[in-house]
Amino acid sequence: MPDPSDVKVREVAPGFHLLYLPLPMKPTIVNVYLVNGGSEWALIDTGMHTEDSVRAFHAALGTIGCRPEWIRKIICTHHHPDHFGTSKPYRELCQAEVFLHPLEAARVSFYVPQERSPQTTRFFLRNGIPLDIFAKVPSPGHFWKSMYEPAVPDHTLSDHMRVPIGEREVEAVWTPGHTPGHCVMYFRREKVLIVGDHLLPKITPHVGIMSDDAGDPLGDFIASLRKVGELDVETVLPAHGAVYHDHRKRVAQLIEFHDYRMQVMLDVVRGRPRTAYEVALEAFDLTRDSPFQQQFPATFETLAHLEHMRLQGRTEKLEQDDRVVWRPRSTH
């Protein structure tokens, strides 16, 4: 872990400061952004609630010359711990107002310590994840409990909602997919887009199905990519990875990537009907001995792709021995 005093701060556009905050896992850094609006500042995302991250945040404020009380608004792209995990302490520190989409606020409890529900266990088993793999895995709430201090939002974000930041204005653009209420932050006048996890420069965000009522997150994600591609943007500020500029090129790359991933999974189920877990092992080149941190998200992502293809008429699912299995949809 790097010494927090060495964490760099960079002005990536006039008045937009990128803060590199440490994470205790890969990726090891999350980018959050301080925006100077003249008469007030705003913090976009908060980092995780760890001692290293909080120290790095305070060091960054000192480097920039921004007093905590100047930060009047904390606007978060989504509810995950590395984006919303310090929202409560920072609201108290800055006496700021917190903004979050209501679909994200409703999911904060996912990271509150609680036992895994029978419905979750049934969902895992029906989709082929072996009991011996997940029985010893802590629930998300138990895993994240010391690193997640979420605020109850003061304001809910909605699509195209405009929020003043001093003499600037940011527009929240709803981009579901990675999470149901994920929003990117669009500074129309400055042509700056803070994208959270939606449009990362090197990797695709996790887009998965983790319950029976999750809908079509991959379809939502692809539609959100196209929506963001229509914005007039010159500078893209991601949560992970380097600042970049050609957002339409990245949109096209991500759509092509998921088209390819769907084709791979369709090829896997041609031989015989398979559970999402079985498809995931083959499509992601994993084994039962691979780390659960790889097996779980691979299975959830596989489900999102298989379900999206089902809605397109390319796959179908059926019950087989108390499990859900997938096969190509017959054209006859």
Side-chain angles (χ1 to χ4, degrees):
M1 180 66 65
D3 183 341
S5 64
D6 292 335
V7 173
K8 299 188 185 304
V9 182
R10 190 159 66 94
E11 189 170 16
V12 291
F16 290 80
H17 300 268
L18 189 166
L19 282 58
Y20 301 88
L21 300 183
L23 298 175
M25 74 285 288
K26 292 183 179 180
T28 58
I29 295 291
V30 62
N31 305 333
V32 307
Y33 297 91
L34 265 176
V35 181
N36 183 352
S39 58
E40 66 176 4
W41 293 59
L43 175 65
I44 312 296
D45 287 343
T46 70
M48 200 173 288
H49 187 241
T50 65
E51 289 185 7
D52 285 343
S53 183
V54 172
R55 280 199 300 268
F57 177 72
H58 281 276
L61 292 187
T63 299
I64 296 168
C66 174
R67 297 168 61 114
E69 61 267 26
W70 294 353
I71 302 170
R72 307 305 302 152
K73 295 182 171 80
I74 298 171
I75 307 171
C76 295
T77 58
H78 61 300
H79 75 284
H80 285 166
D82 54 333
H83 298 262
F84 196 62
T86 325
S87 52
K88 182 178 179 181
Y90 289 168
R91 177 172 65 184
E92 294 169 355
L93 171 71
C94 305
Q95 293 299 299
E97 298 174 296
V98 174
F99 295 73
L100 187 71
H101 193 282
L103 291 176
E104 298 301 292
R107 283 160 173 77
V108 165
S109 61
F110 184 69
Y111 294 104
V112 174
Q114 57 190 306
E115 295 305 315
R116 184 173 284 120
S117 70
Q119 292 87 349
T120 299
T121 298
R122 180 174 178 269
F123 175 80
F124 283 9
L125 290 173
R126 278 171 52 77
N127 287 291
I129 299 178
L131 179 62
D132 60 298
I133 290 178
F134 70 79
K136 300 177 183 178
V137 176
S139 68
H142 285 101
F143 181 81
W144 294 106
K145 61 181 179 180
S146 66
M147 296 177 276
Y148 196 53
E149 291 287 340
V152 176
D154 300 287
H155 305 280
T156 56
L157 295 171
S158 58
D159 196 21
H160 300 295
M161 175 179 172
R162 297 185 178 189
V163 180
I165 303 172
E167 287 65 64
R168 297 186 192 269
E169 183 179 75
V170 63
E171 181 179 340
V173 179
W174 182 41
T175 51
H178 176 56
T179 61
H182 189 290
C183 291
V184 300
M185 304 302 158
Y186 181 37
F187 293 81
R188 186 178 295 271
R189 185 175 62 193
E190 296 87 349
K191 300 184 179 181
V192 170
L193 188 66
I194 299 177
V195 294
D197 283 347
H198 179 62
L199 199 59
L200 301 175
K202 295 294 184 183
I203 59 175
T204 182
H206 175 73
V207 179
I209 284 178
M210 290 170 275
S211 68
D212 288 322
D213 59 353
D216 179 22
L218 182 59
D220 293 340
F221 180 60
I222 292 170
S224 296
L225 288 172
R226 294 194 170 107
K227 178 180 181 179
V228 166
E230 295 175 357
L231 302 177
D232 184 11
V233 174
E234 292 181 354
T235 304
V236 185
L237 306 181
H240 307 284
V243 174
Y244 67 102
H245 302 281
D246 191 345
H247 73 302
R248 293 190 178 99
K249 178 180 178 182
R250 188 61 183 143
V251 163
Q253 288 173 339
L254 286 172
I255 292 173
E256 182 180 2
F257 171 83
H258 286 286
D259 284 344
Y260 173 77
R261 180 70 79 188
M262 282 188 283
Q263 188 58 54
V264 168
M265 294 176 184
L266 192 60
D267 290 343
V268 170
V269 298
R270 287 193 196 283
R272 61 177 172 82
R274 303 194 193 202
T275 64
Y277 176 74
E278 291 173 318
V279 177
L281 293 187
E282 189 162 338
F284 288 85
D285 195 23
L286 301 173
T287 72
R288 283 181 54 123
D289 296 324
S290 298
F292 76 86
Q293 297 95 329
Q294 297 176 7
Q295 294 190 55
F296 276 39
T299 302
F300 302 149
E301 287 198 23
T302 296
L303 273 170
H305 287 75
L306 292 170
E307 174 64 13
H308 186 60
M309 286 191 286
R310 185 187 72 80
L311 295 171
Q312 292 178 325
R314 300 167 68 192
T315 61
E316 58 183 348
K317 61 181 180 180
L318 57 152
E319 300 279 339
Q320 189 178 88
D321 301 325
D322 295 324
R323 293 191 175 185
V324 175
V325 295
W326 297 81
R327 66 184 181 189
R329 183 167 184 174
S330 172
T331 56
H332 301 293

